[in-house]
Amino acid sequence: MSGEREIHLERLLGRRVHDNQGRVIGRIEEFQLAVVDGETIIAEFHLGPDALWERLGGAALHLPFFRSLPVRRKRQRIAWRHMDLSDLTYLCLTRDAQAEQH
Amino acid sequence: MKRVLQIALGIVTSVGGFLEIGSIATAAQAGAGFGYRLAWSIVIGTACIAFLVEMSGRFAACSGRTIPDALRERFGGPAFLAVLAVMLCVSILVLGAEMGGASAALQLATGIALRWWVVPIALLAWLILWRGTFGIIENGVSLLGLVTVVFVVAALHGGPDYRAFAHGLVPRLPAHRPAHYWFVAVSVLGASISPYLYYFYSSGAIEDKWDVSYLAVNRWVAGIGMGFGGLLSLAVLVCAAIVLGPSGGDVQGYRDLSRLTTTILGRPGFWLFVAALGIACLGATLEIALSLAYLLAQGFGWEWGEDLEPRRSARFSITYSIIIAIGAVIALAGADPLTLTNLSMALTAASLPVGVLPFLVLMNDRAYLGDHTNGLLGNVVVLVISLLAMVLGVISIPLQIAGS
Amino acid sequence: MIGHPEHLVADVLDEQLVDGTHRNAGRVDGVIAAIRPGRPPRIVAVEVGAVTLAARVSRRLAAWIARADRRLTGRQAPVRIPWDALRYRDRYLQFDADVDATPINAVEQWLRVHVIERGRR
């Protein structure tokens, strides 16, 4: 199929995603999968304020001690159509995603 | 009845497998340099490894997985590689020290210099792993390791000062040579809490096909087995305090170590010491080499298993072969064997959190353990002791190097 | 893919791979997706091997391992298993082929033939 190119998803982990002002929204930490018409697709990209901390300490965050820490555990979900993957060295939201946000 | 036998065998093997060159040398230095005053470091080190071993067996029995397997899955490839790199560096140094220890035993027995024994020891260890099964290594070598009980006999015979000993069980600040005091304390901790030991234990539980019904066995084996093991280390410290302490000296070499039992028990004491040192160090050599091969194989998803023929698990078998070869090179490299032992034990202590912290996270994950996750006590004991070991290690290693 | 993993990192990446006879066949070291204009990214394959794993840490290390791997086994690229050939199980991912018939075990086989069995002869 024309215009199709392959990427390594594991290399996107921990990468920053920017909005159109160049501000960092978060880092990619998980990909939500879905099956559509027999194809497995990425439905959503999950971003966290600190992907590394989330990935390394995921279970620890549920311990009684850590639960009481004031760590932000915000997780953002970006739908596939809102993620601009055209330049893998600079990940950002698509234009229409920005419009929807405002 | 079967369970009782399992518990007995498990305890015997963990007692037999507890002592190795690190515990013997560091406990002896503690006793020689500071009398009974560092006994507390053996006690907290033993408490920590008992908790870790119990956790490791529980993890394997409940989840059907080994620690490296879950480490890779839970934390991802890059984090696994980081832990692997640290564990490889530190454990291979320890391996060199163990092979040096086994060679020193043969030097004491024959009078032929240590360096001539390193290659035969390496070949013997390799042959046992290549040809043997897990059962042979776990039970055979550890049963022979019971000869280390000679230290308890010697300690009791030597007429220890029980009052001073009891005082030593409470941590206190040193009266003299503080830098050396803390360095020896850290080395003792590193020698007691060997990461390879609890990583090895989880692989062993899988090789022996444990399930949830083994949880009680596991608790007994870890608690009593490691407890008796700690007792052996304390016995070494007592012997050193009695024999070497009065001269106020340090342990200068392996010959000093052999005086521990020889002075008290005479000629039989010498030969029992040689056997204890040789067997304990050979056993540790096997365990470390296997443990590192397990770590690589499980983290990378290879076929593994000590009971598989080498041709059915080629990478696994070649890995432990190469590791033994590197250990031999380190043992031959010319560093004084006791210095190598001290350094590797202190580095083990300083790097403890690298292996321990992710393991604690796993131990609190219900996805792996269901209702058998850690209680508060286990978490706190292991966390506090391993962080303490790291802090003491980071401070005292440079001081010791600067001081010497 | 038979079975539906929900999350890529939690359920697929770094999981154990086993072959049709339940022998260990490496881990999922990488996941390949196809990007298509106007349509969602589609998962096409998983990659297995030290080169892919190393690339997650350092490109230089990956290039170095790739050179050694080419020399030893003749493999030109990391091994890929098509997504549709995989079955998602609770604790691992399985494919039907015999692992020895795939290039996944090339190093294992090289060692078996050149080191272990040569030693026997």
Side-chain angles (χ1 to χ4, degrees), chain A residues 1-101:
Chain A
M1 190 191 286
S2 67
E4 194 170 302
R5 68 199 167 91
E6 290 184 343
I7 60 167
H8 277 269
L9 291 173
E10 76 279 5
R11 293 181 197 167
L12 297 184
L13 286 175
R15 291 283 193 83
R16 293 191 189 92
V17 179
H18 304 80
D19 66 10
N20 69 340
Q21 268 101 45
R23 284 179 308 212
V24 176
I25 310 167
R27 294 167 182 267
I28 296 185
E29 63 184 55
E30 182 60 281
F31 306 89
Q32 172 96 46
L33 303 176
V35 178
V36 176
D37 298 334
E39 286 182 345
T40 304
I41 56 137
I42 298 176
E44 288 174 346
F45 296 79
H46 292 186
L47 316 184
D50 192 340
L52 192 70
W53 173 243
E54 276 266 347
R55 256 185 296 144
L56 297 191
L61 290 176
H62 302 295
L63 293 176
F65 171 69
F66 288 102
R67 261 203 308 253
S68 60
L69 288 181
V71 182
R72 285 186 303 155
R73 249 158 286 145
K74 195 172 62 180
R75 185 181 263 231
Q76 289 197 30
R77 295 155 170 262
I78 310 284
W80 68 266
R81 65 172 67 80
H82 293 156
M83 181 70 88
D84 184 352
L85 291 171
S86 53
D87 178 4
L88 292 182
T89 60
Y90 185 83
L91 299 174
C92 56
L93 299 186
T94 55
R95 262 161 221 266
D96 43 327
Q98 317 263 359
E100 274 177 39
Q101 275 195 338

Side-chain angles (χ1 to χ4, degrees), chain C residues 8-74:
Chain C
L8 194 80
V9 178
D11 301 332
V12 179
L13 191 61
D14 293 308
E15 292 292 318
Q16 179 74 49
L17 281 164
V18 303
D19 75 353
T21 58
H22 275 270
R23 284 170 66 202
N24 287 347
R27 283 180 180 268
V28 177
D29 293 306
V31 181
I32 311 296
I35 309 278
R36 315 168 286 184
R39 297 176 62 198
R42 179 174 61 99
I43 313 287
V44 290
V46 302
E47 270 192 12
V48 193
V51 180
T52 310
L53 177 60
R56 290 160 69 180
V57 183
S58 146
R59 291 217 171 162
R60 201 186 266 182
L61 180 67
W64 187 79
I65 295 177
R67 250 198 320 274
D69 190 68
R70 264 198 302 277
R71 224 185 253 169
L72 206 64
T73 67

Side-chain angles (χ1 to χ4, degrees), chain B residues 246-325:
Chain B
S247 54
D250 281 334
V251 177
Q252 303 290 351
Y254 286 101
R255 200 150 285 281
D256 282 345
L257 291 180
S258 71
R259 280 169 54 203
L260 296 180
T261 52
T262 313
T263 308
I264 301 172
L265 300 175
R267 209 63 197 149
F270 174 79
W271 287 109
L272 284 169
F273 172 83
V274 168
L277 183 68
I279 292 167
C281 293
L282 180 66
T285 300
L286 298 175
E287 284 190 8
I288 297 171
L290 259 189
S291 178
L292 293 178
Y294 284 137
L295 183 58
L296 260 88
Q298 293 159 4
F300 293 135
W302 306 338
E303 277 288 280
W304 59 274
E306 173 53 18
D307 291 343
L308 288 181
E309 268 182 81
R311 61 179 302 280
R312 294 242 343 202
S313 52
R315 280 172 293 188
F316 176 73
S317 313
I318 297 295
T319 300
Y320 64 63
S321 309
I322 292 174
I323 285 169
I324 290 177

Side-chain angles (χ1 to χ4, degrees), chain C residues 67-89:
Chain C
R67 250 198 320 274
D69 190 68
R70 264 198 302 277
R71 224 185 253 169
L72 206 64
T73 67
R75 285 190 291 205
Q76 294 300 317
V79 184
R80 284 190 182 183
I81 305 171
W83 186 253
D84 292 332
L86 289 168
R87 259 186 307 240
Y88 173 64
R89 299 276 197 236

